[in-house]
Amino acid sequence: MIKMSEQRKVYQEILLEINRIIKEDGLRPGDKLPSERELSERLQAGRSSVREALRALELLGLITTRRGEGTFIQHYRHNTLIDLIGAYVLKDFKTRKDLVEMRKILEIDAVRLACRRGSEKYFAEMERIIHMAEQTIRDGKIPTEEDYLFHRMICRSSRNSVLHRIWVPLVEYSKSVREQSLSRDGRAEEALEEHRLILEAMRAGNEEEAVDYMARHLENSIL
């Protein structure tokens, strides 16, 4: 029992130390982690223990190994835990309803702030995303990714980093709901037109009109 406890402690310490190295080295999603050998030397830990810690991180979807290239930090959006947790959470109707309600609160306030703080840089990017969505629809596909990017850009244009950080996991958990909604007959085209109206109102600085369009858009997106 003592031996197992000691092993677990070493394993946990290595995970914490790897996290510290990531922060110290300023590594971001997509960046390459130090090699197993380098980590072992920096942590003064056995390579087998380091290997086990890395394996656990990979199983969680936090890192990925590319043969012949090394180990890289995964972007949170590709973390399989997000999909698993999201699927579990959304089985409960009350939770699902609460997520939709919370998204309304965040995005309507994001639109208000975007009308006051948004710049042409953000609006031009939203316009580009709308064009991407148009092409995706023409290709006979559902513009789920473009929908995500458009709404994320609104949150970013609010210039409130806390709002954006809360919004991201919330929308990731409700990914399956968005996909189902956009898959409804004609809904993708309708949503695209609603995006255009929201953008036009924000560009004009018409706060109440933009908020009204966003509220209707989110209501129409509910299954």
Side-chain angles (χ1 to χ4, degrees), residues 141-165:
K141 299 174 184 176
I142 304 298
T144 309
E145 180 67 11
E146 291 84 353
D147 180 79
Y148 170 88
L149 293 173
F150 181 83
H151 286 267
R152 188 185 71 171
M153 192 52 59
I154 290 176
C155 289
R156 287 186 62 190
S157 64
S158 74
R159 302 193 187 188
N160 185 310
S161 61
V162 176
L163 186 152
H164 182 247
R165 287 179 187 177

Side-chain angles (χ1 to χ4, degrees), residues 83-202:
D83 291 335
L84 290 171
I85 294 171
Y88 177 77
V89 165
L90 292 172
K91 282 182 179 178
D92 178 64
F93 179 75
K94 179 64 168 62
T95 305
R96 183 166 168 165
K97 185 181 175 184
D98 287 348
L99 280 171
V100 171
E101 191 174 83
M102 189 62 190
R103 186 181 172 190
K104 280 184 180 180
I105 292 168
L106 288 175
E107 293 204 29
I108 285 173
D109 275 343
V111 163
R112 287 190 188 281
L113 292 174
C115 286
R116 302 170 194 176
R117 303 173 180 175
S119 66
E120 184 54 32
K121 177 183 78 172
Y122 292 108
F123 299 143
E125 180 60 17
M126 288 180 215
E127 192 165 7
R128 188 183 73 83
I129 293 166
I130 285 173
H131 292 320
M132 287 167 53
E134 287 173 342
Q135 185 57 55
T136 299
I137 291 171
R138 280 197 293 268
D139 292 341
K141 299 174 184 176
I142 304 298
T144 309
E145 180 67 11
E146 291 84 353
D147 180 79
Y148 170 88
L149 293 173
F150 181 83
H151 286 267
R152 188 185 71 171
M153 192 52 59
I154 290 176
C155 289
R156 287 186 62 190
S157 64
S158 74
R159 302 193 187 188
N160 185 310
S161 61
V162 176
L163 186 152
H164 182 247
R165 287 179 187 177
I166 294 171
W167 179 86
V168 169
L170 181 78
V171 172
E172 283 301 319
Y173 286 150
S174 57
K175 182 180 177 181
S176 61
V177 175
R178 288 186 295 113
E179 288 177 344
Q180 289 174 49
S181 175
L182 288 168
S183 297
R184 285 180 290 161
D185 190 33
R187 179 58 197 150
E189 291 83 359
E190 287 174 2
L192 192 58
E193 184 55 36
E194 289 162 4
H195 283 181
R196 288 195 191 96
L197 292 171
I198 294 166
L199 175 56
E200 286 171 12
M202 288 192 299

